[in-house]
Amino acid sequence: MAGHNESEKKSSDAVNDLQTFRAENLQSNMKVIYYSRTFLSIIGGVIAGILGFTGLTGFVFYFLVMAITSVALIAKAKFSIHTYFDSWNRVVFDGFLGGLLWQN
């Protein structure tokens, strides 16, 4: 009987270990990431324009600004991403390329 109780305890612990997210909270957190990246893309573009960064230099500057933004968002979440988001990709890569403006 002890083995049976232990297996029930293990299965109930496994269920409790699964992390659930409320859709509203996850959506709100994603909005914060989107707005932060949009705002910092604008600010980064203005700074790049003032400094005269064009071409490859401007491209590298944009990625540097987005990398700093990702680190800042992770720091804001106190480095416990899985508490607020369902994956690291959401914080690090979501919206990363959205701020680029392609012109011919």
Side-chain angles (χ1 to χ4, degrees):
M1 285 287 188
H4 181 66
N5 289 338
E6 288 176 9
S7 66
E8 286 179 9
K9 185 177 179 182
K10 287 181 184 176
S11 65
S12 67
D13 288 343
V15 170
N16 291 336
D17 288 343
L18 290 176
Q19 208 166 19
T20 58
F21 296 99
R22 288 187 55 199
E24 297 85 15
N25 292 346
L26 189 61
Q27 186 176 16
S28 174
N29 294 341
M30 293 308 299
K31 281 182 182 178
V32 168
I33 288 178
Y34 176 75
Y35 292 139
S36 297
R37 288 198 188 277
T38 301
F39 177 73
L40 287 171
S41 292
I42 293 168
I43 297 301
V46 168
I47 292 171
I50 291 171
L51 296 176
F53 294 154
T54 58
L56 185 61
T57 309
F59 193 70
V60 170
F61 183 76
Y62 172 78
F63 277 103
L64 181 66
V65 169
M66 288 297 105
I68 292 170
T69 302
S70 295
V71 171
L73 289 169
I74 292 168
K76 178 73 174 168
K78 298 178 184 164
F79 299 96
S80 61
I81 296 300
H82 294 292
T83 304
Y84 303 101
F85 303 98
D86 55 352
S87 72
W88 279 87
N89 292 338
R90 295 249 187 210
V91 179
V92 177
F93 297 115
D94 214 25
F96 202 87
L97 298 175
L100 289 175
L101 178 63
W102 298 98
Q103 292 182 346
N104 291 332

PDB file of all heavy atoms in Angstrom, residues 26-47:
ATOM      1  N   LEU A  26      -0.863  36.848 -19.832  1.00  0.00           N
ATOM      2  CA  LEU A  26       0.132  36.589 -20.869  1.00  0.00           C
ATOM      3  C   LEU A  26      -0.001  37.616 -21.993  1.00  0.00           C
ATOM      4  O   LEU A  26       0.998  38.146 -22.481  1.00  0.00           O
ATOM      5  CB  LEU A  26      -0.014  35.170 -21.403  1.00  0.00           C
ATOM      6  CG  LEU A  26       1.072  34.678 -22.328  1.00  0.00           C
ATOM      7  CD1 LEU A  26       2.421  34.677 -21.626  1.00  0.00           C
ATOM      8  CD2 LEU A  26       0.758  33.282 -22.823  1.00  0.00           C
ATOM      9  N   GLN A  27      -1.236  37.923 -22.380  1.00  0.00           N
ATOM     10  CA  GLN A  27      -1.461  38.920 -23.429  1.00  0.00           C
ATOM     11  C   GLN A  27      -0.999  40.300 -22.980  1.00  0.00           C
ATOM     12  O   GLN A  27      -0.389  41.041 -23.761  1.00  0.00           O
ATOM     13  CB  GLN A  27      -2.941  38.946 -23.799  1.00  0.00           C
ATOM     14  CG  GLN A  27      -3.264  39.832 -24.972  1.00  0.00           C
ATOM     15  CD  GLN A  27      -4.727  39.754 -25.358  1.00  0.00           C
ATOM     16  OE1 GLN A  27      -5.558  39.271 -24.604  1.00  0.00           O
ATOM     17  NE2 GLN A  27      -5.038  40.246 -26.540  1.00  0.00           N
ATOM     18  N   SER A  28      -1.252  40.652 -21.733  1.00  0.00           N
ATOM     19  CA  SER A  28      -0.796  41.937 -21.207  1.00  0.00           C
ATOM     20  C   SER A  28       0.728  42.015 -21.197  1.00  0.00           C
ATOM     21  O   SER A  28       1.306  43.045 -21.558  1.00  0.00           O
ATOM     22  CB  SER A  28      -1.338  42.137 -19.789  1.00  0.00           C
ATOM     23  OG  SER A  28      -0.808  43.288 -19.217  1.00  0.00           O
ATOM     24  N   ASN A  29       1.383  40.947 -20.804  1.00  0.00           N
ATOM     25  CA  ASN A  29       2.850  40.918 -20.794  1.00  0.00           C
ATOM     26  C   ASN A  29       3.407  41.036 -22.214  1.00  0.00           C
ATOM     27  O   ASN A  29       4.422  41.699 -22.429  1.00  0.00           O
ATOM     28  CB  ASN A  29       3.352  39.646 -20.129  1.00  0.00           C
ATOM     29  CG  ASN A  29       3.021  39.589 -18.656  1.00  0.00           C
ATOM     30  OD1 ASN A  29       2.727  40.601 -18.043  1.00  0.00           O
ATOM     31  ND2 ASN A  29       3.058  38.399 -18.094  1.00  0.00           N
ATOM     32  N   MET A  30       2.746  40.423 -23.178  1.00  0.00           N
ATOM     33  CA  MET A  30       3.200  40.517 -24.565  1.00  0.00           C
ATOM     34  C   MET A  30       3.009  41.935 -25.103  1.00  0.00           C
ATOM     35  O   MET A  30       3.814  42.420 -25.890  1.00  0.00           O
ATOM     36  CB  MET A  30       2.469  39.501 -25.447  1.00  0.00           C
ATOM     37  CG  MET A  30       2.822  38.056 -25.127  1.00  0.00           C
ATOM     38  SD  MET A  30       4.595  37.742 -25.096  1.00  0.00           S
ATOM     39  CE  MET A  30       5.029  38.165 -26.758  1.00  0.00           C
ATOM     40  N   LYS A  31       1.954  42.619 -24.664  1.00  0.00           N
ATOM     41  CA  LYS A  31       1.754  44.012 -25.059  1.00  0.00           C
ATOM     42  C   LYS A  31       2.879  44.892 -24.533  1.00  0.00           C
ATOM     43  O   LYS A  31       3.343  45.797 -25.230  1.00  0.00           O
ATOM     44  CB  LYS A  31       0.413  44.541 -24.550  1.00  0.00           C
ATOM     45  CG  LYS A  31      -0.769  44.120 -25.360  1.00  0.00           C
ATOM     46  CD  LYS A  31      -2.033  44.751 -24.800  1.00  0.00           C
ATOM     47  CE  LYS A  31      -3.251  44.303 -25.557  1.00  0.00           C
ATOM     48  NZ  LYS A  31      -4.478  44.881 -24.996  1.00  0.00           N
ATOM     49  N   VAL A  32       3.320  44.620 -23.317  1.00  0.00           N
ATOM     50  CA  VAL A  32       4.427  45.391 -22.741  1.00  0.00           C
ATOM     51  C   VAL A  32       5.678  45.209 -23.590  1.00  0.00           C
ATOM     52  O   VAL A  32       6.390  46.176 -23.889  1.00  0.00           O
ATOM     53  CB  VAL A  32       4.682  44.968 -21.275  1.00  0.00           C
ATOM     54  CG1 VAL A  32       5.991  45.526 -20.761  1.00  0.00           C
ATOM     55  CG2 VAL A  32       3.534  45.397 -20.392  1.00  0.00           C
ATOM     56  N   ILE A  33       5.949  43.979 -24.007  1.00  0.00           N
ATOM     57  CA  ILE A  33       7.114  43.725 -24.861  1.00  0.00           C
ATOM     58  C   ILE A  33       6.965  44.455 -26.188  1.00  0.00           C
ATOM     59  O   ILE A  33       7.894  45.113 -26.668  1.00  0.00           O
ATOM     60  CB  ILE A  33       7.309  42.215 -25.097  1.00  0.00           C
ATOM     61  CG1 ILE A  33       7.815  41.567 -23.822  1.00  0.00           C
ATOM     62  CG2 ILE A  33       8.277  41.951 -26.233  1.00  0.00           C
ATOM     63  CD1 ILE A  33       7.986  40.089 -23.924  1.00  0.00           C
ATOM     64  N   TYR A  34       5.789  44.368 -26.797  1.00  0.00           N
ATOM     65  CA  TYR A  34       5.550  45.015 -28.095  1.00  0.00           C
ATOM     66  C   TYR A  34       5.732  46.526 -27.991  1.00  0.00           C
ATOM     67  O   TYR A  34       6.431  47.130 -28.805  1.00  0.00           O
ATOM     68  CB  TYR A  34       4.148  44.660 -28.586  1.00  0.00           C
ATOM     69  CG  TYR A  34       3.767  45.358 -29.854  1.00  0.00           C
ATOM     70  CD1 TYR A  34       4.294  44.953 -31.078  1.00  0.00           C
ATOM     71  CD2 TYR A  34       2.898  46.441 -29.839  1.00  0.00           C
ATOM     72  CE1 TYR A  34       3.959  45.612 -32.249  1.00  0.00           C
ATOM     73  CE2 TYR A  34       2.560  47.097 -30.994  1.00  0.00           C
ATOM     74  CZ  TYR A  34       3.086  46.681 -32.200  1.00  0.00           C
ATOM     75  OH  TYR A  34       2.751  47.330 -33.348  1.00  0.00           O
ATOM     76  N   TYR A  35       5.124  47.145 -26.974  1.00  0.00           N
ATOM     77  CA  TYR A  35       5.221  48.594 -26.827  1.00  0.00           C
ATOM     78  C   TYR A  35       6.642  49.032 -26.480  1.00  0.00           C
ATOM     79  O   TYR A  35       7.113  50.067 -26.958  1.00  0.00           O
ATOM     80  CB  TYR A  35       4.231  49.104 -25.781  1.00  0.00           C
ATOM     81  CG  TYR A  35       2.788  48.986 -26.203  1.00  0.00           C
ATOM     82  CD1 TYR A  35       1.819  48.569 -25.315  1.00  0.00           C
ATOM     83  CD2 TYR A  35       2.395  49.278 -27.502  1.00  0.00           C
ATOM     84  CE1 TYR A  35       0.483  48.447 -25.702  1.00  0.00           C
ATOM     85  CE2 TYR A  35       1.080  49.163 -27.900  1.00  0.00           C
ATOM     86  CZ  TYR A  35       0.129  48.750 -26.995  1.00  0.00           C
ATOM     87  OH  TYR A  35      -1.170  48.638 -27.385  1.00  0.00           O
ATOM     88  N   SER A  36       7.321  48.255 -25.668  1.00  0.00           N
ATOM     89  CA  SER A  36       8.708  48.588 -25.320  1.00  0.00           C
ATOM     90  C   SER A  36       9.596  48.539 -26.549  1.00  0.00           C
ATOM     91  O   SER A  36      10.416  49.437 -26.780  1.00  0.00           O
ATOM     92  CB  SER A  36       9.246  47.614 -24.270  1.00  0.00           C
ATOM     93  OG  SER A  36       8.516  47.707 -23.087  1.00  0.00           O
ATOM     94  N   ARG A  37       9.454  47.497 -27.343  1.00  0.00           N
ATOM     95  CA  ARG A  37      10.273  47.368 -28.558  1.00  0.00           C
ATOM     96  C   ARG A  37       9.939  48.458 -29.572  1.00  0.00           C
ATOM     97  O   ARG A  37      10.830  49.010 -30.208  1.00  0.00           O
ATOM     98  CB  ARG A  37      10.102  45.995 -29.181  1.00  0.00           C
ATOM     99  CG  ARG A  37      10.763  44.910 -28.376  1.00  0.00           C
ATOM    100  CD  ARG A  37      10.959  43.679 -29.222  1.00  0.00           C
ATOM    101  NE  ARG A  37      11.419  42.570 -28.439  1.00  0.00           N
ATOM    102  CZ  ARG A  37      12.689  42.370 -28.117  1.00  0.00           C
ATOM    103  NH1 ARG A  37      13.599  43.214 -28.511  1.00  0.00           N
ATOM    104  NH2 ARG A  37      13.044  41.334 -27.392  1.00  0.00           N
ATOM    105  N   THR A  38       8.660  48.779 -29.705  1.00  0.00           N
ATOM    106  CA  THR A  38       8.263  49.832 -30.640  1.00  0.00           C
ATOM    107  C   THR A  38       8.842  51.180 -30.206  1.00  0.00           C
ATOM    108  O   THR A  38       9.432  51.900 -31.017  1.00  0.00           O
ATOM    109  CB  THR A  38       6.730  49.927 -30.729  1.00  0.00           C
ATOM    110  OG1 THR A  38       6.216  48.662 -31.154  1.00  0.00           O
ATOM    111  CG2 THR A  38       6.303  50.999 -31.702  1.00  0.00           C
ATOM    112  N   PHE A  39       8.688  51.498 -28.934  1.00  0.00           N
ATOM    113  CA  PHE A  39       9.201  52.763 -28.419  1.00  0.00           C
ATOM    114  C   PHE A  39      10.712  52.852 -28.579  1.00  0.00           C
ATOM    115  O   PHE A  39      11.248  53.860 -29.043  1.00  0.00           O
ATOM    116  CB  PHE A  39       8.806  52.921 -26.946  1.00  0.00           C
ATOM    117  CG  PHE A  39       9.357  54.155 -26.310  1.00  0.00           C
ATOM    118  CD1 PHE A  39       8.835  55.402 -26.616  1.00  0.00           C
ATOM    119  CD2 PHE A  39      10.410  54.085 -25.415  1.00  0.00           C
ATOM    120  CE1 PHE A  39       9.347  56.553 -26.038  1.00  0.00           C
ATOM    121  CE2 PHE A  39      10.929  55.222 -24.833  1.00  0.00           C
ATOM    122  CZ  PHE A  39      10.392  56.462 -25.142  1.00  0.00           C
ATOM    123  N   LEU A  40      11.421  51.784 -28.210  1.00  0.00           N
ATOM    124  CA  LEU A  40      12.874  51.820 -28.306  1.00  0.00           C
ATOM    125  C   LEU A  40      13.365  51.757 -29.749  1.00  0.00           C
ATOM    126  O   LEU A  40      14.460  52.244 -30.045  1.00  0.00           O
ATOM    127  CB  LEU A  40      13.485  50.719 -27.450  1.00  0.00           C
ATOM    128  CG  LEU A  40      13.373  51.039 -25.959  1.00  0.00           C
ATOM    129  CD1 LEU A  40      13.779  49.854 -25.110  1.00  0.00           C
ATOM    130  CD2 LEU A  40      14.202  52.248 -25.593  1.00  0.00           C
ATOM    131  N   SER A  41      12.574  51.197 -30.660  1.00  0.00           N
ATOM    132  CA  SER A  41      12.921  51.258 -32.082  1.00  0.00           C
ATOM    133  C   SER A  41      12.864  52.696 -32.579  1.00  0.00           C
ATOM    134  O   SER A  41      13.739  53.144 -33.329  1.00  0.00           O
ATOM    135  CB  SER A  41      11.964  50.402 -32.913  1.00  0.00           C
ATOM    136  OG  SER A  41      12.134  49.054 -32.644  1.00  0.00           O
ATOM    137  N   ILE A  42      11.854  53.413 -32.152  1.00  0.00           N
ATOM    138  CA  ILE A  42      11.728  54.826 -32.543  1.00  0.00           C
ATOM    139  C   ILE A  42      12.880  55.634 -31.963  1.00  0.00           C
ATOM    140  O   ILE A  42      13.534  56.409 -32.681  1.00  0.00           O
ATOM    141  CB  ILE A  42      10.365  55.395 -32.087  1.00  0.00           C
ATOM    142  CG1 ILE A  42       9.239  54.721 -32.862  1.00  0.00           C
ATOM    143  CG2 ILE A  42      10.318  56.902 -32.253  1.00  0.00           C
ATOM    144  CD1 ILE A  42       7.860  54.992 -32.293  1.00  0.00           C
ATOM    145  N   ILE A  43      13.136  55.463 -30.675  1.00  0.00           N
ATOM    146  CA  ILE A  43      14.226  56.192 -30.020  1.00  0.00           C
ATOM    147  C   ILE A  43      15.564  55.817 -30.653  1.00  0.00           C
ATOM    148  O   ILE A  43      16.402  56.692 -30.934  1.00  0.00           O
ATOM    149  CB  ILE A  43      14.235  55.916 -28.504  1.00  0.00           C
ATOM    150  CG1 ILE A  43      12.960  56.422 -27.861  1.00  0.00           C
ATOM    151  CG2 ILE A  43      15.461  56.521 -27.840  1.00  0.00           C
ATOM    152  CD1 ILE A  43      12.714  57.910 -28.026  1.00  0.00           C
ATOM    153  N   GLY A  44      15.779  54.525 -30.903  1.00  0.00           N
ATOM    154  CA  GLY A  44      17.017  54.079 -31.546  1.00  0.00           C
ATOM    155  C   GLY A  44      17.175  54.649 -32.942  1.00  0.00           C
ATOM    156  O   GLY A  44      18.277  55.032 -33.353  1.00  0.00           O
ATOM    157  N   GLY A  45      16.073  54.749 -33.693  1.00  0.00           N
ATOM    158  CA  GLY A  45      16.116  55.338 -35.024  1.00  0.00           C
ATOM    159  C   GLY A  45      16.468  56.814 -34.991  1.00  0.00           C
ATOM    160  O   GLY A  45      17.235  57.304 -35.825  1.00  0.00           O
ATOM    161  N   VAL A  46      15.901  57.515 -34.017  1.00  0.00           N
ATOM    162  CA  VAL A  46      16.213  58.943 -33.867  1.00  0.00           C
ATOM    163  C   VAL A  46      17.690  59.123 -33.516  1.00  0.00           C
ATOM    164  O   VAL A  46      18.383  59.960 -34.104  1.00  0.00           O
ATOM    165  CB  VAL A  46      15.295  59.591 -32.800  1.00  0.00           C
ATOM    166  CG1 VAL A  46      15.784  60.972 -32.422  1.00  0.00           C
ATOM    167  CG2 VAL A  46      13.862  59.641 -33.292  1.00  0.00           C
ATOM    168  N   ILE A  47      18.177  58.330 -32.578  1.00  0.00           N
ATOM    169  CA  ILE A  47      19.588  58.426 -32.185  1.00  0.00           C
ATOM    170  C   ILE A  47      20.497  58.053 -33.348  1.00  0.00           C
ATOM    171  O   ILE A  47      21.509  58.732 -33.594  1.00  0.00           O
ATOM    172  CB  ILE A  47      19.862  57.553 -30.950  1.00  0.00           C
ATOM    173  CG1 ILE A  47      19.150  58.132 -29.736  1.00  0.00           C
ATOM    174  CG2 ILE A  47      21.360  57.438 -30.673  1.00  0.00           C
ATOM    175  CD1 ILE A  47      19.173  57.238 -28.513  1.00  0.00           C
TER     176      ILE A  47
END
